[in-house]
Amino acid sequence: MSSKTRVAILGSTGSVGVQALDLISRFPDRFEVVALAARRNAALLAEQALKFRPRLAALLDPESLEELSSRCASPGIDIAAGEEGLRRVAAHPEADRVGSAIVGAAGLQPTLWAIQAGKTVALANKETLVMAGDLMLREAEKNRALLLPVDSEHCALHQCLRGERREEVGRLILTASGGPFRLSTLQEMETAEPEQALRHPTWEMGPKISVDSATLMNKGLEVIEAHHLFGIEAARIEVILHPQSLVHSMVEMRDGSVICQLGTTDMRLPIQYALTYPDRWTSTLPPLDLS
């Protein structure tokens, strides 16, 4: 049996997937990529497959399969397409951890397949819990799967709650940068262009979550996600503006103590936490400069 942590990634060509593979490349002796899946970016998926040598590379879009096959004609790498290809990646028998990074509603079914296969899931797809949180948690318990949040706020809450009893939690406090329009007037927002909405002041993210963050819709989704992940009712989940984005979230205990998690604004930190939990590996990223 391999001593490495074996990883499958759903959505490997998206923002989180690319950062996850960058992180994995920093620990070549400790991680092994066994399966990758993307929607239709055959060129990037082929490049990733040739670099990381997974057993399986799959595209949801069957029309892109020929391009993937031509770019990735290499012994030892199986090529698949369509929903069945995604299912094989999500439930890959050799995967210890499955990174769920497919954007939006499209990530629900593959995440469910990974949960039903009893995998430890590094969950970067909040829509999965927003749409079907009760179902996901029920299936996770039934199949002894583990959900570990990759969202920086929920990863922070997960760390703050390690070793704490839920009955002693007063409230959860999610932080929000306020996005690119925090200091804009309503008049300025009415004439804002999409390019402005994509310029998030602190995080480097994909277009959907960047726009959702600009409108603060993303924070509403995160409240729902936190409710499902931690079993806290929405009335005890609050949001506070924190433009510096150094405190990623906080937990207020019922005795008034507040526990918070700080870190640099780099998604590879919560990705590493989810891929290595319950261990903490020495990071290859620059530390937070508190001075």
Side-chain angles (χ1 to χ4, degrees):
M1 181 177 293
S2 173
S3 60
K4 296 182 179 181
T5 299
R6 297 169 297 184
V7 181
I9 298 180
L10 298 160
S12 66
T13 60
S15 175
V16 172
V18 167
Q19 291 180 82
L21 287 174
D22 175 75
L23 172 74
I24 287 170
S25 70
R26 295 165 183 254
F27 298 95
D29 297 329
R30 306 185 77 173
F31 281 123
E32 179 182 1
V33 177
V34 297
L36 296 172
R39 184 172 184 178
R40 64 165 63 95
N41 192 340
L44 181 52
L45 180 59
E47 182 182 319
Q48 292 172 341
L50 291 174
K51 177 179 180 179
F52 291 96
R53 311 297 302 178
R55 319 280 194 278
L56 173 65
L59 280 171
L60 179 60
D61 179 18
E63 295 182 5
S64 303
L65 182 62
E66 185 176 345
E67 181 184 355
L68 178 63
S69 299
S70 63
R71 289 176 176 269
C72 193
S74 179
I77 302 177
D78 192 10
I79 304 297
E83 283 197 357
E84 183 56 31
L86 256 64
R87 181 195 290 269
R88 289 177 58 195
V89 172
H92 198 283
E94 293 184 46
D96 304 309
R97 311 244 164 163
V98 176
S100 174
I102 295 176
V103 176
L108 191 153
Q109 185 65 72
T111 303
L112 182 59
W113 287 329
I115 290 172
Q116 290 173 333
K119 303 297 184 182
T120 294
V121 179
L123 184 64
N125 176 285
K126 64 174 61 67
E127 291 84 359
T128 291
L129 292 181
V130 171
M131 292 185 294
D134 290 339
L135 170 65
M136 295 297 167
L137 293 175
R138 187 168 62 245
E139 288 295 311
E141 183 178 5
K142 175 182 173 183
N143 294 283
R144 298 184 179 180
L146 179 62
L147 289 176
L148 295 170
V150 169
D151 268 358
S152 63
E153 296 84 355
H154 302 83
C155 180
L157 291 173
H158 193 278
Q159 294 180 67
C160 291
L161 289 168
R162 286 179 76 161
E164 301 294 344
R165 298 205 299 264
R166 290 298 188 271
E167 64 269 20
E168 295 184 343
V169 173
R171 59 179 175 148
L172 308 181
I173 305 169
L174 298 166
T175 56
S177 72
F181 303 131
R182 183 177 65 88
L183 300 178
S184 301
T185 65
L186 286 175
Q187 185 177 5
E188 289 170 337
M189 290 181 69
E190 286 175 359
T191 59
E193 298 291 331
E195 293 75 19
Q196 293 172 267
L198 291 172
R199 292 191 204 120
H200 196 280
T202 52
W203 292 100
E204 183 179 331
M205 305 177 293
K208 181 190 183 297
I209 190 171
S210 295
V211 171
D212 282 351
S213 294
T215 63
L216 292 190
M217 182 65 192
N218 184 60
K219 207 53 58 173
L221 301 180
E222 288 181 357
V223 169
I224 300 172
E225 182 182 7
H227 158 68
H228 286 297
L229 279 172
F230 305 111
I232 303 292
E233 63 272 22
R236 291 196 290 138
I237 304 174
E238 299 184 15
V239 174
I240 188 169
L241 283 177
H242 170 51
Q244 297 82 3
S245 298
L246 296 180
V247 175
H248 299 309
S249 277
M250 298 174 272
V251 175
E252 183 181 81
M253 307 305 289
R254 68 182 183 186
D255 64 358
S257 296
V258 177
I259 303 169
C260 68
Q261 186 266 336
L262 293 80
T264 54
T265 52
D266 193 316
M267 281 304 298
R268 288 169 295 185
L269 290 176
I271 291 169
Q272 178 173 323
Y273 179 83
L275 290 181
T276 64
Y277 176 85
D279 299 328
R280 288 187 185 270
W281 297 358
T282 301
S283 176
T284 60
L285 301 172
L288 178 64
D289 183 1
L290 289 172
S291 65

